[in-house]
Each structure stands twice: as C-alpha cells, then as structure tokens.
Amino acid sequence: MPPFRGITQLIPGCILTVLILGTYITIASAQQTVSILFFYEDPESVKHFDSAVDYINQDRSLGINIGEVTKINANGTEATKLIVSLCKDIDEAFTKPNQPDIVIDFTRHGIPSEAVKIIVKVMNLPTISATFGQEGDIRSWRELKPNMKQYLIQVAPPADMVPQSVRSIVSHRDMTSAVFLFDDEYEMYHKYKSLLQNMPTRHLLTKLEKTKPGIRRQIDRLVHVDIVNYFIAASPNEISGVLAEASDKDMKDGPYFSDEYAWYSMSMEPGLPKCSGCKNNVSVIHLSPKLSSAQNKRRDYLQSKGNIKTQKLMDMFYFDLTTNAILTVAEMKKKDKWNPPKKLQCSETAEETDTYELQLFDFFKSPEISKDNLLGPFSMDPDNTVGKSHSSFEMEIRRLIFKPMTAEPHINIDLGIWKTGFTEKELIESNGKMDQWIEHTALTVFRIVTVVQPPFVYRIPGCVESKENKYSRCFKGYCIDLLNKIQEELKFNFTIRNVSGYGYMDDNEPHEWTGMVRELKDRRADIALGAMSVMAERESVVDFTVPYYDLVGISILMRKPKTQTSLFKFLTVLENDVWMCILGAYFFTSFLMWVFDRWSPYSYQNNREKYEDDEEKREFNLKECLWFCMTSLTPQGGGEAPKNLSGRLVAATWWLFGFIIIASYTANLAAFLTVSRLDAPIESLDDLAKQYKIQYAPLERSSAWIYFDRMAHIEHRFYEIWKDMSLNDSMTDYERSQLAVWDYPVSDKFTKMWQAMQENNPPKEFEEAVKRTRGDDRNQNDGFAFLGDATDIRYQVLISCDLQMVGEEFSRKPYALAVQQGSPLKDQLNDAILKLLNQRHLEQLKETWWNDNDYKATCPKDDNQSDGISIHNIGGVFIVIFVGIVMACFTLVFEYWWYRKRNIAEEMAEMALPPPKEFGQSFSTEKTNFNTQYTKPPRTDLPTIENSW
C-alpha cells in the first residue's frame, strides 16, 4: 500500500464534513430568534400554541429559532388584582436575556382580556390577539392611534364568526323572529345587540341547557314567546340531543317540527348530526366546515403528531394564528424592518409619540406567510380596525331530513356555501335549490284570539279543536271572512281560539286587563279579532289598525209591545149595553111600525082601493117592518116607506137614529184602531231616563257599562268644580251673584241613570240580558230595557220577532283589529284592510252577513208598520158574512121543505084522504093510481117547481 493512500481516502470525507459544517454555520447565522409572551385562559388553547411552536422548531428550513416563551395564565375576576399579577409576571419576563418580541393573546373576553389589552397598549408591545368581539367590543382598544393599529392586531376566531351565519340566513329568508342557542365554545356576551342589529327581527340569544329536562323547559319557554326559527350552535352530538327532545310528542306543546317552525344548526366540526333519538320527522338545515382536502406541511405535521384535532375550526385557527405571528416577526427581522416601539415597565406610562415605524400588520397579511394555513389566509381589514379582521373559511349548507328513530338523514341536499364575513349580503352562495329553502322556511303563523259575537263571529256547532289539528276552523262570520281575505293578501296561517270578553281594566287591580286585551298585553296572542271598539284606555296598552267597520254606538233593546187583537174588534167599539139598547130599539121600532100600519086607516092594507093604481104596493106586516128597519141602517136604504103619516113619522125617526148611530160607530171604530198604533212610550235614552216603570241596565263590565260610569264620574267632577267656585270665600258678592245665575250648570242625567242601573241588578251575560228583555208575557206593562252595542242589538232584532231596537245610537266608536303594542303587524294589516275597503269587499261582507244572513227571521208585519187595519182586527166581518150565508142556506132548505109539506097537506085535504104516516112511505105505492084518478091544476102564483110525485 502506498504511504499516502489512507490520507488520500480521508480527504473527500473531510471536505464533505467541512462543507456541512460551513453550511450549518451559515444557516445558524441566518436564523432569526423570536421570543414570545403568551397569554391564555383555557388550558386547552395552550396545546394549540405548543403545537405551533413545535412545528416552527422542527422545520429548520424556516430559519427560525424560538427563544424564550413565557406563558401567563390571565385568569381572574377582580381587575385590579389581575393587572398587578400580570404586571409582575410581565416585568419578570423582560428581565430575561431574550426579551419577548411579540405578544400572542388567546384570552377570550371579559376582565382577563381587557386587563391584557390595557397592559400591552401601555407598554407598546406588538400583540396578535384572538379575542372575541367586533368593533367597539374591546373597550381598551376602541380608540387606537394610527401607529398603534400597526402592531395591535385582533383577529376574530371562528367561534366568533360562525354565529354571523345567523345574520346571513335571517336576511336571506326575511325572518321576523329567531332564537340562537349556543354551547360553551361560543362567547356571545357582545352579540346580544350586534348580531341582528338594524334588522327587523325579534330575537333571543340564550345558552343551551345541558340536560334533557332543561332542554325541554327551554324550548317550551321559547315557543311561548312566539319564536319560530331556531338556530343551534353546538357540537353534532349536542345538536342531535336538542333535535331529539324537540321532536318528542310527549312535550307540553310538542313536537316542534311542523310547518310553523324552522330549525337550523351549525357546528365547528365536520360531520352531520345524527337523530337516532328523534321520535318524529325532523327537517334541519345544517352548516358544517368545508375544509380543503389538499395536504400541506402543517397538516402533514399535525396528522403525524396526532395530538390535536386538525378538523376542528378553533384548533386550526389557534395553530395558524400562532404560526403566522412567529413567521411575521422572523420575516421582519430578516428584512431589518423590526423596529418595535420602546418597551416600558408595566408600571410606567406610555410615551406620547408617533415616531414608531413598525408595520407588523402589513407583514401579517403576506400571502407567503399564510400560504400553508389550515383554514386559508386571514381576511384583514385594510385599516386594521379592531373587530373587522377575521379568520377566513367556508361552511357548507345542507338540508337534512330524518325519519323517526333513524340515525342517518333520509334526505341530504346540498344547498350551497356560506363565506365568513360581518355583512349579511352576498355571503350565501346558493346552488339554485331555492325550493328547498322555501319548503324549509317556517310558515308565518299568527295566534289569533276572538270573542263569539254573531254575526261577526259564530262558533260552528260540532266542530272540535284538537292538538293534532291546530289549524281547524271552528268559527265563521263577518270577521272570519275578513281574516281570510287578509290572509290571501299577507300569505300567513293562523291559529284561533275563543276568550271571554274584549277586555276591560280591573278597578281593584290597576293596569290589570282581562279578555283579548290581556292576551295581547301578555304576548300570548298576535291579533285580536272581533267586534272590538276602539277605546282610549285600550289604546294605552295595545295598538289598533284602521277601522274595518262603521261607527257603532250604544242602543236600546226592548220587547215589542203586543197589541191585543180580536176578530170581532169592531164589536168592542161600543159597549155591550149600547148594543143591547140598539137591538131593543130595533125591535121596538119594527113592532111599532107594524102596529101603526095595522090600525091606521090610511095604510095600504086598510085602503087598497085608493092605492090600486100605485106601482109600489107594500104591505107592512111584521116581517116587512123588521126588514125595513134593518135595511134602513145600510147605504142601500129601507125601500118604500109606509103610506100612512104615522108610519112615516116612525120611519123618519128611525132614520135619524140610525144616521147618528152609524156616524158615531164609524168615527169611534177609526179612532179605536188607531190608538193602539200610537202607543210608543220609550223612543230615546231621555225617555228611558225620565220614567221609573221600566228597568234598564247594560252588561256588567261592558263598554256600555264603562261609558255610563265615566259619564256619571264626569258629571260629579264638574259639579265639584262648580261647587268649589260657588263657595270660594275669596270671591266678592258681585262675582258670586254672577255664578248664581246658573244654579246647576251640569245635568245629572247620567248620575241618576248610573244609580238606577246599579240598583237594577245588571246582567252579567248577554243571554241573561236578552232573557230579561223578553220578560214575562203575564206582565206586559212592566219590562226591562237592555243597553248595549248597537250591532248586538241589531242582530237580536234580525233573528227575533219579539224584540225591537229603540232610539238613536250614541257614543259611537269604530271597530278595528288589535295587535300587540309596537307590533310590525299593524302596518301590514292596515295596508290589507285599506285595499279591501277600496275594492268594496267590506260592503259585500256586510250584505252577506246582515241582509242575506241564514239566521234572519221572517217576521209578520206589525200593525204599527202597516198601511191599514190588519185582518186580526177586522176578520170578524168576514165571519159574519160566512155565518149569514150559512143561515141563508139553511133558510132555503127550510123554505123548500115547508113549501112541499104545505102543498101535500092541501092536496090530501081536498081528496079527504088521511095523510100518510110518514112522508115518502107507502104513499109512493099508490102514486100511479092516484095520478090516474085525480089531477090537480097547476098553481100560477108560485115559482115553477117540479110537482111529480
């Protein structure tokens, strides 16, 4: 072997070693040392920070050497003590050789966060913060100078950005109500006002209960405050638990998955919620992170370590934020741009200078630094305004439909993505499946209360409301038709229930209301529907829409007076004694005329020769005298008068008597039939107040009751004012004499009426009032007058024939719908009602439910409404005619029978034959022989009658 052969073999190895050592020395001399001051609250966040530091240390290609790392736990509830403690730890950190270059702040909110912000601001420490909050929420950094904005940076974490999706969805679907349920991962203290600020959406933010009974109670409470859109921000397991409880049929008002509720969920972890415990069909729109599947150095490192969840947004955010902060400082040091402001002691005061040239913010948003971010580059505000920079990521939106007791969704539909941001516009990129959004949207359902009052509201007989069929329509009427037309305009659904009364204020408990007003005031209803009067005291607690019905006042309901009718009423015009005297005069005059004609020598029957040539020959026997006196009382006249002078004097006297009797009877008959129609004792409220025979009162606690109470109170108040003026001792005698001209300037009509109403035992129910008004038929002279709404009274008159509406309406007020005070429904209902009014639909409803009402009674025409005498009072005349005709028929039969009997008797006498035992027996057997033996000549002085046997 040559002597230098071994040395020759060692030369390449030495050269390689020298080259490696040289390279290492060069790299080591180029590495930048970065020292960190780290603040935290949650020990879990320390893991994310340590993972990022380890990643920087192990990747030597980055050229970064991690120097001193000082970790300070910023936990405390008392601000002064916490600041003193933090200052002690910070001053100690700055006594070390490698002083901190940058502060990484993982405090979340509240006192710990504010304490750290105050210290770093005072000490001029470059800080990267992951504190929750938007602009103005971090009080210590509200007014930063322009130079401070370059090194005091806050980036909103994903847990602060995910709730912003609620704002985007609410704006996208035009929601009017929403509730946001969140778990411990979210800090919502600063979002109670800002989340849905400047949006017309009533909303609640509340922390999610952890137990099943707590979740049940929580959802029940939220439903009862009229919340229909539910947002859940939690882990997939927690979301599954909430959906299972809300779908339970055994809940108080559940299940809460129907067309009037919409459910949304969001999670900072990938994956979908399961619903193996759901007991009903469940539909939910779920938002979950949409992460890139591409691998990079940071993701590969974390997966190899396995000590951190790379799929959780907050874990990835903390890792990216720490890594970017360290890389930014190293980059600035490498380019000799690291010129932080002078650090002060924690107890010193910051210098007032604007000469700092540090631009940490500009480097923090460098694409080179954030190219390997797990979530992507941070979205930084150009002006670095606190609360506007945030982590950037996307959430995929999917609609999930579960079947009962099924873990995996039966239907899984991709609806699009949501991009992080603080504005609600253009953050949702839809896949065009708007029908799925619309199908999932909570149908607007209004809770309506009403009072049954025909014809405005009827209750349909036999209709039953059930929990399963909450939209059942058990009512009809004017207001229900009005509601249906408004529903066509505004596109909503409703539930309707009946309550007792429209509402009045309880005198015993001021500001306590009853009826529909109470339901609106306590927010248990959205709309009060019915014949509800607009009253000033009601307007103090609820809002009224524009009137949908004309002015309606108070009126009087009374029983119709029953006029006594009689078919022979014309006979009651004269008393019975008068009729007997007239009848006696008739027979006496007839008899007297017969006597005078019988004994007078100048009568026709006693002087036939003298009057032989007269055309009129009348013999006044008793029958003719009765006929003459009877016909003389008629317009036809009595016919030919007697020939003798004495008989004519009797006839003339009878004519005079008959003329007077007929004239008196006619005049009295007309007056007698007219008096009953002129009997109207009560025609107005004043007439009712002046009498004491008829009792009167309104329904207790009704609007009419309140009206009379207020009027009586006003009269009393005016009287007291006038009395104080009159008895004022400071007045002169002359001034008092001027007041004495008017002894009592205010009428006490309502005071007396109010006192009478209270004494008359006012009815408590409308049916009781109607019953008392009808009264007892045995006491026609007494009665009860009911004072109430004119529409109620008009309807009773419409369906009843024994009641009447008396007088004009007074204290008139319109009918309107009522809503909760300050409710946006008022403007919507106003527009719909005005549109219906302009299209004359309201007039059609009046025609339908008043004039064409199926319950309208067909009443006989009243005597006092007719143009003449009714058949009930004059019908006896027709009975007289009928009786006369019947008597005439019997008389004809008698005459014919008498004539036949008399004719046969005369024939028997001429033949000297005994009359037959019975007329018509055995006589017919000899008829033929008799006819052959004897033929009687026919009589010419009788009417032609068939004489055959």
Side-chain angles (χ1 to χ4, degrees):
M1 175 182 294
F4 298 102
R5 183 177 179 180
I7 298 176
T8 306
Q9 292 177 347
L10 292 175
I11 290 175
C14 293
I15 295 173
L16 180 60
T17 302
V18 170
L19 291 175
I20 293 173
L21 291 174
T23 303
Y24 177 78
I25 294 172
T26 303
I27 293 174
S29 61
Q31 281 185 337
Q32 305 297 327
T33 301
V34 178
S35 298
I36 305 170
L37 181 60
F38 176 63
F39 293 95
Y40 68 93
E41 283 184 81
D42 184 8
E44 287 292 324
S45 62
V46 179
K47 297 180 181 179
H48 316 321
F49 172 80
D50 291 341
S51 297
V53 171
D54 291 343
Y55 168 74
I56 296 294
N57 280 329
Q58 293 187 20
D59 191 352
R60 308 310 300 174
S61 64
L62 297 176
I64 300 175
N65 180 36
I66 302 298
E68 290 287 342
V69 177
T70 304
K71 301 176 183 178
I72 301 176
N73 186 0
N75 246 331
T77 57
E78 206 282 317
T80 304
K81 291 182 179 181
L82 180 61
I83 291 177
V84 171
S85 176
L86 292 177
C87 280
K88 181 180 177 180
D89 294 337
I90 293 172
D91 289 341
E92 183 179 347
F94 277 97
T95 60
K96 296 178 181 180
N98 291 329
Q99 294 184 355
D101 294 303
I102 190 169
V103 176
I104 297 179
D105 175 23
F106 280 6
T107 58
R108 295 167 67 92
H109 73 97
I111 291 177
S113 176
E114 293 294 339
V116 172
K117 302 298 183 297
I118 292 174
I119 292 173
V120 298
K121 179 182 178 182
V122 170
M123 295 183 65
N124 296 327
L125 300 178
T127 302
I128 302 296
S129 175
T131 300
F132 289 71
Q134 276 75 62
E135 185 177 6
D137 294 330
I138 305 175
R139 290 177 292 180
S140 302
W141 285 9
R142 284 179 180 174
E143 297 180 1
L144 295 179
K145 295 181 179 180
N147 62 304
M148 291 183 178
K149 291 183 177 181
Q150 299 299 317
Y151 62 87
L152 298 179
I153 301 172
Q154 181 254 349
V155 182
D160 206 18
M161 296 306 301
V162 169
Q164 292 298 127
S165 62
V166 176
R167 185 178 181 90
S168 300
I169 295 175
V170 167
S171 175
H172 185 261
R173 304 310 308 150
D174 294 327
M175 296 179 183
T176 59
S177 66
V179 63
F180 184 75
L181 304 172
F182 56 92
D183 64 4
D184 294 333
E185 289 192 276
Y186 299 87
E187 300 294 343
M188 302 297 296
Y189 74 98
H190 61 285
K191 290 186 178 292
Y192 281 95
K193 292 183 179 180
S194 63
L195 182 60
L196 297 180
Q197 189 176 14
N198 300 325
M199 298 184 72
T201 305
R202 184 168 56 88
H203 62 282
L204 292 174
L205 277 69
T206 182
K207 199 166 186 178
L208 185 64
E209 296 284 349
K210 295 183 179 299
T211 62
K212 290 184 178 181
I215 294 174
R216 285 173 174 258
R217 291 192 299 267
Q218 188 174 43
I219 296 177
D220 274 331
R221 288 196 303 268
L222 295 173
V223 168
H224 290 150
V225 294
D226 191 22
I227 300 295
V228 297
N229 296 292
Y230 293 83
F231 292 86
I232 310 170
S235 66
N237 289 335
E238 290 177 317
I239 294 172
S240 300
V242 175
L243 298 180
E245 294 303 317
S247 65
D248 192 352
K249 297 180 181 180
D250 296 333
M251 290 192 70
K252 182 178 180 181
D253 295 320
Y256 296 113
F257 284 92
S258 60
D259 54 359
E260 61 179 294
Y261 301 105
W263 291 81
Y264 303 83
S265 62
M266 54 203 67
S267 174
M268 290 187 292
E269 301 178 28
L272 303 177
K274 301 182 185 300
C275 208
S276 57
C278 296
K279 299 179 181 179
N280 197 10
N281 291 327
V282 171
S283 175
V284 61
I285 288 181
H286 182 70
L287 282 73
S288 58
K290 184 179 182 181
L291 303 176
S292 173
S293 59
Q295 299 293 316
N296 54 40
K297 291 193 298 181
R298 299 180 189 180
R299 192 179 303 277
D300 293 340
Y301 166 76
L302 291 175
Q303 289 180 350
S304 65
K305 297 292 290 184
N307 62 344
I308 188 172
K309 296 180 180 179
T310 59
Q311 299 297 311
K312 195 171 182 179
L313 292 181
M314 286 298 292
D315 297 348
M316 291 186 285
F317 167 76
Y318 284 136
F319 184 90
D320 285 344
L321 190 67
T322 303
T323 305
N324 285 17
I326 296 173
L327 292 176
T328 297
V329 175
E331 183 72 16
M332 294 183 70
K333 282 188 174 184
K334 182 178 179 181
K335 295 182 179 181
D336 294 329
K337 292 185 177 181
W338 183 250
N339 183 26
K342 179 182 178 181
K343 299 178 180 63
L344 303 175
Q345 292 295 324
C346 192
S347 58
E348 295 179 355
T349 305
E351 297 181 2
E352 296 292 336
T353 177
D354 294 333
T355 59
Y356 309 144
E357 298 179 357
L358 182 64
Q359 296 182 352
L360 180 64
F361 167 67
D362 291 338
F363 282 93
F364 190 77
K365 63 181 182 179
S366 171
E368 288 297 323
I369 293 175
S370 61
K371 66 178 180 179
D372 287 334
N373 281 357
L374 300 176
L375 290 180
F378 293 107
S379 178
M380 307 301 294
D381 180 65
D383 298 328
N384 193 24
T385 303
V386 176
K388 291 189 176 180
S389 300
H390 58 85
S391 58
S392 180
F393 56 93
E394 293 180 351
M395 303 278 284
E396 59 180 358
I397 307 173
R398 311 190 73 85
R399 185 185 181 196
L400 310 176
I401 300 178
F402 297 89
K403 286 187 175 182
M405 310 305 293
T406 304
E408 300 299 328
H410 174 65
I411 297 177
N412 186 344
I413 304 173
D414 182 13
L415 301 182
I417 62 171
W418 173 77
K419 297 181 179 180
T420 52
F422 292 110
T423 59
E424 65 274 10
K425 301 295 184 182
E426 300 177 356
L427 293 180
I428 295 180
E429 293 184 1
S430 177
N431 288 344
K433 299 178 180 179
M434 290 302 299
D435 56 332
Q436 294 294 327
W437 282 99
I438 295 174
E439 184 178 342
H440 185 77
T441 301
L443 179 64
T444 302
V445 178
F446 294 138
R447 300 165 300 169
I448 298 177
V449 290
T450 188
V451 173
V452 175
Q453 179 183 343
F456 293 95
V457 180
Y458 292 90
R459 187 172 188 88
I460 301 175
C463 183
V464 179
E465 298 174 353
S466 62
K467 185 177 180 181
E468 291 75 16
N469 186 17
K470 64 175 70 175
Y471 302 133
S472 59
R473 302 293 183 252
C474 291
F475 300 92
K476 65 178 181 178
Y478 180 101
C479 288
I480 304 302
D481 287 353
L482 172 65
L483 178 63
N484 292 333
K485 290 186 177 295
I486 295 176
Q487 182 185 18
E488 294 175 1
E489 294 291 331
L490 301 183
K491 307 300 180 186
F492 63 88
N493 207 339
F494 61 88
T495 60
I496 186 169
R497 56 189 174 88
N498 183 33
V499 297
S500 58
Y502 295 104
Y504 65 89
M505 187 183 296
D506 193 345
D507 295 334
N508 298 326
E509 298 182 16
H511 307 295
E512 288 296 328
W513 287 82
T514 62
M516 294 199 298
V517 177
R518 177 66 178 270
E519 297 293 321
L520 293 176
K521 185 174 179 291
D522 293 345
R523 299 190 177 277
R524 292 195 296 264
D526 301 304
I527 302 174
L529 176 73
M532 189 175 186
S533 301
V534 179
M535 299 174 62
E537 53 190 9
R538 289 174 178 168
E539 286 186 300
S540 63
V541 292
V542 299
D543 289 342
F544 285 98
T545 64
V546 294
Y548 69 86
Y549 199 81
D550 298 334
L551 294 174
V552 178
I554 302 172
S555 187
I556 305 171
L557 179 67
M558 295 186 66
R559 178 180 57 189
K560 281 184 180 179
K562 292 185 178 180
T563 306
Q564 296 294 334
T565 60
S566 174
L567 294 175
F568 296 94
K569 197 168 186 176
F570 61 92
L571 295 178
T572 61
V573 175
L574 301 178
E575 295 183 356
N576 295 334
D577 296 342
V578 177
W579 283 115
M580 296 303 296
C581 291
I582 293 174
L583 190 60
Y586 165 72
F587 286 109
F588 177 74
T589 304
S590 300
F591 176 75
L592 190 62
M593 186 177 293
W594 172 71
V595 171
F596 286 1
D597 193 81
R598 176 70 175 172
W599 294 100
S600 174
Y602 296 100
S603 62
Y604 172 76
Q605 61 179 325
N606 293 329
N607 200 357
R608 294 180 183 274
E609 296 81 4
K610 181 179 180 179
Y611 302 105
E612 185 177 0
D613 296 331
D614 290 354
E615 295 181 359
E616 296 181 357
K617 301 174 182 179
R618 187 175 187 180
E619 182 178 345
F620 279 86
N621 52 23
L622 186 58
K623 180 182 68 173
E624 288 295 327
C625 290
L626 291 172
W627 180 255
F628 176 82
C629 290
M630 179 181 294
T631 55
S632 295
L633 298 176
T634 64
Q636 185 65 28
E640 183 183 0
K643 300 296 185 180
N644 55 321
L645 181 60
S646 58
R648 292 190 176 188
L649 288 176
V650 174
T653 304
W654 176 252
W655 288 340
L656 179 61
F657 171 80
F659 171 76
I660 297 173
I661 290 298
I662 294 300
S664 301
Y665 176 83
T666 304
N668 281 286
L669 178 62
F672 190 80
L673 296 176
T674 305
V675 168
S676 61
R677 290 188 286 171
L678 297 177
D679 186 16
I682 304 298
E683 294 182 351
S684 65
L685 183 67
D686 292 334
D687 294 340
L688 196 64
K690 292 175 184 177
Q691 57 83 42
Y692 299 95
K693 192 174 183 180
I694 299 176
Q695 295 183 350
Y696 52 89
L699 280 180
E700 190 173 358
R701 301 297 183 183
S702 64
S703 58
W705 175 277
I706 295 174
Y707 169 76
F708 285 102
D709 184 16
R710 299 289 186 270
M711 292 299 294
H713 178 70
I714 291 172
E715 287 182 352
H716 178 71
R717 287 284 300 274
F718 272 96
Y719 171 73
E720 292 296 331
I721 295 172
W722 172 81
K723 186 172 66 174
D724 291 341
M725 292 175 58
S726 301
L727 301 178
N728 190 355
D729 295 335
S730 63
M731 296 177 62
T732 64
D733 292 339
Y734 177 73
E735 292 174 338
R736 186 173 290 104
S737 65
Q738 289 180 320
L739 293 177
V741 175
W742 204 353
D743 293 334
Y744 190 55
V746 180
S747 170
D748 61 346
K749 179 181 74 171
F750 288 98
T751 301
K752 293 180 179 179
M753 292 188 70
W754 177 243
Q755 183 179 0
M757 290 175 184
Q758 292 177 314
E759 295 174 354
N760 292 337
N761 188 21
K764 294 179 175 55
E765 300 292 338
F766 184 75
E767 292 75 13
E768 178 186 353
V770 175
K771 183 178 180 180
R772 287 184 61 181
T773 303
R774 285 194 168 97
D776 190 354
D777 293 337
R778 293 173 296 181
N779 298 323
Q780 288 290 325
N781 295 329
D782 299 332
F784 178 80
F786 170 64
L787 298 162
D789 285 347
T791 50
D792 290 343
I793 293 175
R794 188 176 293 113
Y795 182 74
Q796 289 300 317
V797 174
L798 182 73
I799 64 174
S800 305
C801 296
D802 58 341
L803 299 174
Q804 64 177 344
M805 184 174 177
V806 178
E808 298 291 335
E809 299 178 23
F810 55 93
S811 182
R812 303 179 71 187
K813 300 178 182 66
Y815 286 163
L817 305 182
V819 297
Q820 297 175 8
Q821 200 166 44
S823 172
L825 274 176
K826 178 181 177 181
D827 294 334
Q828 301 177 39
L829 294 175
N830 285 344
D831 295 340
I833 293 174
L834 291 175
K835 184 176 180 180
L836 294 175
L837 185 64
N838 293 334
Q839 295 175 351
R840 307 179 71 86
H841 287 303
L842 299 185
E843 293 184 11
Q844 297 176 7
L845 293 181
K846 283 185 183 179
E847 183 70 19
T848 301
W849 291 103
W850 284 107
N851 297 335
D852 300 334
N853 197 311
D854 295 336
Y855 297 94
K856 185 176 182 180
T858 303
C859 301
K861 200 171 185 180
D862 296 335
D863 289 345
N864 56 353
Q865 296 177 348
S866 61
D867 298 327
I869 302 172
S870 68
I871 191 65
H872 300 289
N873 291 325
I874 203 69
V877 176
F878 299 95
I879 295 178
V880 170
I881 295 175
F882 177 75
V883 172
I885 294 173
V886 172
M887 292 177 64
C889 293
F890 279 105
T891 304
L892 176 61
V893 173
F894 175 75
E895 288 178 340
Y896 185 76
W897 174 81
W898 179 258
Y899 171 77
R900 293 290 301 275
K901 182 178 179 180
R902 182 180 178 184
N903 191 14
I904 294 173
E906 290 178 355
E907 292 178 354
M908 292 297 180
E910 292 178 0
M911 296 175 60
L913 295 175
K917 295 180 180 179
E918 293 183 5
F919 184 73
Q921 295 182 2
S922 69
F923 184 75
S924 58
T925 59
E926 302 176 357
K927 182 176 181 181
T928 305
N929 297 331
F930 180 78
N931 287 337
T932 57
Q933 296 176 5
Y934 175 76
T935 301
K936 183 180 178 181
R939 297 181 60 178
T940 58
D941 58 339
L942 295 175
T944 303
I945 300 177
E946 183 181 359
N947 294 321
S948 62
W949 298 99

